[in-house]
Amino acid sequence: MAYIGKAPNTAIVNQTTSQSFNGTGSATAFTLNRSVNVGEDLEVFVNNVQQEPGSGKSYTASGTTLTFDEAPPSGTGNVYVIYRGEATINPRLEHDANSALAATTGTFTGAFTSPGIDDNADATAITIDSSENVLVDKTSSNYQTVGHELRDGGRAFHTADGGKTLSLNRLSSDGGILDFYKDNTEVGNVQSRSGVTSFFVGDVRTTGAGGASLHPIGGNTPSIRGGNHSALVDNYMDLGSSGNRFKDLYLGGNLYLGGTGSANALDDYETGTWTPAFDNTVGNGPTVTYTYQIGRYTKVGNRVHWTARISWSAFSMNGSGYALLAGFPFTADGTTAFSQGSNTFGYANGIGGSDGLSGLYIDAGANKFYMTTSANPTAELLGSNIASSGTFYCGGSVQV
């Protein structure tokens, strides 16, 4: 029909105009279908007799409670109420799709779809799939796909392509950055200590720039596992065991055995070969045709243990002078006076003449051995005492 002015809202009337109750002979209070202010908002009949509102008369009403001064007699529907107030007009819940929707609360009973999580989104930002997995920057549950995934049951996957997967930042103070727990008990963490990263796993902690040192921290003591895990202990744990050994250990520095002082430091260990040969102290070296030149050594710290075998089928001394055993791959300690080490012959043939051989010594700072005779251990062997053919075995220990 035609009208003047603004078009009325399309609405429905959700109004209860009357209501009846069953009297029990004892109940004086009854619950109304809608709220009222005073008893005069109602017309009340009991057994078809209209009642007078007001306190001390027949009934009062406030909110949704109707109260009688005396309990109505028992009967089915014998208490009848008519509401005098205006009907409530409820607008239909229909919204213009082209208009903004402003709401502070509400429940969607159907499906809700959106390309993002705010009014500026231009793509799917978050997806919650049928398994209750929360997916960020991805639409399928697959840890090989770039994005973030919080799976039902507590697991999380973060996948990046060609970049950092996870960045953690603690501001202001040192302390824990990432904690690890088993059955509600902390078993490890990553923390900042004096501005550098420190790792604590089990009974071991790293400290220093980039984890410069590895320390035992005292086992399962709760006070140690709490806080910043700074309680270090000494001589506490083994590295491996008799049935569970590490394979190789590569060190660029010292190995301290039995103590922590410089005297306990093992800075080198090596084994190798060398080529023993004759030499002399003056002129050119001898002319020798060798059958065997075999040398072995083991170096432990500053001590070299060595062996040698020489066999020759021709020998000619080019000049005079003492005969020397050359080819030793190390230089003797230069701070020790006179001879170095304990060195001896095990077998000798064709050398020493009738005097025989006593031993060998090496001067401080030198790398060639003098040979001495048994007739005169303080006299060095001359090149003229070496036969045209022969063989000898020798060995010893030298500080280098």
Side-chain angles (χ1 to χ4, degrees), residues 306-308 342-346 360 393-397:
W306 64 272
T307 60
S342 174
N343 309 284
T344 186
F345 288 94
L360 307 95
Y393 300 86
C394 57
S397 176

mmCIF file of all heavy atoms in Angstrom, residues 306-308 342-346 360 393-397:
data_model
loop_
_atom_site.group_PDB
_atom_site.id
_atom_site.type_symbol
_atom_site.label_atom_id
_atom_site.label_comp_id
_atom_site.label_asym_id
_atom_site.label_seq_id
_atom_site.Cartn_x
_atom_site.Cartn_y
_atom_site.Cartn_z
ATOM 1 N N TRP A 306 112.987 -43.848 18.265
ATOM 2 C CA TRP A 306 113.339 -44.124 16.881
ATOM 3 C C TRP A 306 114.095 -45.445 16.739
ATOM 4 O O TRP A 306 114.716 -45.931 17.686
ATOM 5 C CB TRP A 306 114.175 -42.981 16.313
ATOM 6 C CG TRP A 306 115.514 -42.814 17.004
ATOM 7 C CD1 TRP A 306 115.783 -42.077 18.115
ATOM 8 C CD2 TRP A 306 116.749 -43.426 16.603
ATOM 9 N NE1 TRP A 306 117.100 -42.165 18.461
ATOM 10 C CE2 TRP A 306 117.723 -42.996 17.532
ATOM 11 C CE3 TRP A 306 117.128 -44.273 15.576
ATOM 12 C CZ2 TRP A 306 119.052 -43.394 17.466
ATOM 13 C CZ3 TRP A 306 118.445 -44.673 15.487
ATOM 14 C CH2 TRP A 306 119.397 -44.243 16.421
ATOM 15 N N THR A 307 114.037 -46.001 15.546
ATOM 16 C CA THR A 307 114.831 -47.174 15.170
ATOM 17 C C THR A 307 115.348 -46.969 13.754
ATOM 18 O O THR A 307 114.782 -46.185 12.980
ATOM 19 C CB THR A 307 113.995 -48.469 15.216
ATOM 20 O OG1 THR A 307 112.904 -48.352 14.302
ATOM 21 C CG2 THR A 307 113.481 -48.754 16.618
ATOM 22 N N ALA A 308 116.449 -47.690 13.436
ATOM 23 C CA ALA A 308 117.025 -47.575 12.091
ATOM 24 C C ALA A 308 117.765 -48.861 11.731
ATOM 25 O O ALA A 308 118.317 -49.549 12.605
ATOM 26 C CB ALA A 308 117.961 -46.383 12.002
ATOM 27 N N SER A 342 118.984 -41.572 25.054
ATOM 28 C CA SER A 342 119.660 -42.846 25.260
ATOM 29 C C SER A 342 119.554 -43.622 23.967
ATOM 30 O O SER A 342 118.462 -44.033 23.572
ATOM 31 C CB SER A 342 118.998 -43.609 26.426
ATOM 32 O OG SER A 342 119.554 -44.903 26.559
ATOM 33 N N ASN A 343 120.702 -43.832 23.277
ATOM 34 C CA ASN A 343 120.697 -44.424 21.950
ATOM 35 C C ASN A 343 121.785 -45.501 21.886
ATOM 36 O O ASN A 343 122.907 -45.310 22.369
ATOM 37 C CB ASN A 343 120.972 -43.350 20.897
ATOM 38 C CG ASN A 343 120.053 -42.143 21.066
ATOM 39 O OD1 ASN A 343 118.897 -42.187 20.726
ATOM 40 N ND2 ASN A 343 120.612 -41.053 21.620
ATOM 41 N N THR A 344 121.474 -46.623 21.268
ATOM 42 C CA THR A 344 122.420 -47.733 21.273
ATOM 43 C C THR A 344 122.286 -48.583 20.025
ATOM 44 O O THR A 344 121.297 -48.472 19.286
ATOM 45 C CB THR A 344 122.201 -48.615 22.523
ATOM 46 O OG1 THR A 344 123.224 -49.623 22.574
ATOM 47 C CG2 THR A 344 120.837 -49.276 22.477
ATOM 48 N N PHE A 345 123.280 -49.432 19.822
ATOM 49 C CA PHE A 345 123.265 -50.388 18.723
ATOM 50 C C PHE A 345 122.716 -51.712 19.220
ATOM 51 O O PHE A 345 123.055 -52.176 20.314
ATOM 52 C CB PHE A 345 124.673 -50.595 18.151
ATOM 53 C CG PHE A 345 125.179 -49.443 17.360
ATOM 54 C CD1 PHE A 345 125.962 -48.462 17.944
ATOM 55 C CD2 PHE A 345 124.861 -49.332 16.013
ATOM 56 C CE1 PHE A 345 126.432 -47.399 17.207
ATOM 57 C CE2 PHE A 345 125.339 -48.266 15.263
ATOM 58 C CZ PHE A 345 126.111 -47.304 15.855
ATOM 59 N N GLY A 346 121.918 -52.375 18.395
ATOM 60 C CA GLY A 346 121.463 -53.715 18.724
ATOM 61 C C GLY A 346 122.294 -54.777 18.014
ATOM 62 O O GLY A 346 122.463 -55.892 18.523
ATOM 63 N N LEU A 360 125.264 -44.169 20.323
ATOM 64 C CA LEU A 360 125.128 -42.991 19.489
ATOM 65 C C LEU A 360 124.685 -41.827 20.360
ATOM 66 O O LEU A 360 123.985 -42.019 21.365
ATOM 67 C CB LEU A 360 124.086 -43.194 18.373
ATOM 68 C CG LEU A 360 124.218 -44.418 17.467
ATOM 69 C CD1 LEU A 360 123.343 -45.545 18.000
ATOM 70 C CD2 LEU A 360 123.805 -44.068 16.034
ATOM 71 N N TYR A 393 121.895 -52.350 13.211
ATOM 72 C CA TYR A 393 120.593 -51.952 13.719
ATOM 73 C C TYR A 393 120.837 -51.071 14.936
ATOM 74 O O TYR A 393 121.719 -51.364 15.763
ATOM 75 C CB TYR A 393 119.773 -53.152 14.158
ATOM 76 C CG TYR A 393 119.484 -54.170 13.073
ATOM 77 C CD1 TYR A 393 120.417 -55.181 12.796
ATOM 78 C CD2 TYR A 393 118.308 -54.139 12.367
ATOM 79 C CE1 TYR A 393 120.178 -56.126 11.804
ATOM 80 C CE2 TYR A 393 118.049 -55.084 11.381
ATOM 81 C CZ TYR A 393 118.977 -56.071 11.108
ATOM 82 O OH TYR A 393 118.719 -57.000 10.143
ATOM 83 N N CYS A 394 120.073 -50.018 15.070
ATOM 84 C CA CYS A 394 120.216 -49.142 16.235
ATOM 85 C C CYS A 394 118.881 -48.474 16.522
ATOM 86 O O CYS A 394 117.933 -48.525 15.745
ATOM 87 C CB CYS A 394 121.307 -48.099 15.978
ATOM 88 S SG CYS A 394 121.053 -47.080 14.499
ATOM 89 N N GLY A 395 118.827 -47.835 17.682
ATOM 90 C CA GLY A 395 117.607 -47.128 18.078
ATOM 91 C C GLY A 395 117.812 -46.356 19.351
ATOM 92 O O GLY A 395 118.876 -46.428 19.974
ATOM 93 N N GLY A 396 116.831 -45.576 19.726
ATOM 94 C CA GLY A 396 116.987 -44.800 20.946
ATOM 95 C C GLY A 396 115.828 -43.862 21.172
ATOM 96 O O GLY A 396 114.749 -43.950 20.544
ATOM 97 N N SER A 397 116.061 -42.905 22.080
ATOM 98 C CA SER A 397 115.037 -41.933 22.466
ATOM 99 C C SER A 397 115.701 -40.571 22.574
ATOM 100 O O SER A 397 116.759 -40.433 23.213
ATOM 101 C CB SER A 397 114.424 -42.333 23.805
ATOM 102 O OG SER A 397 113.505 -41.356 24.239
#
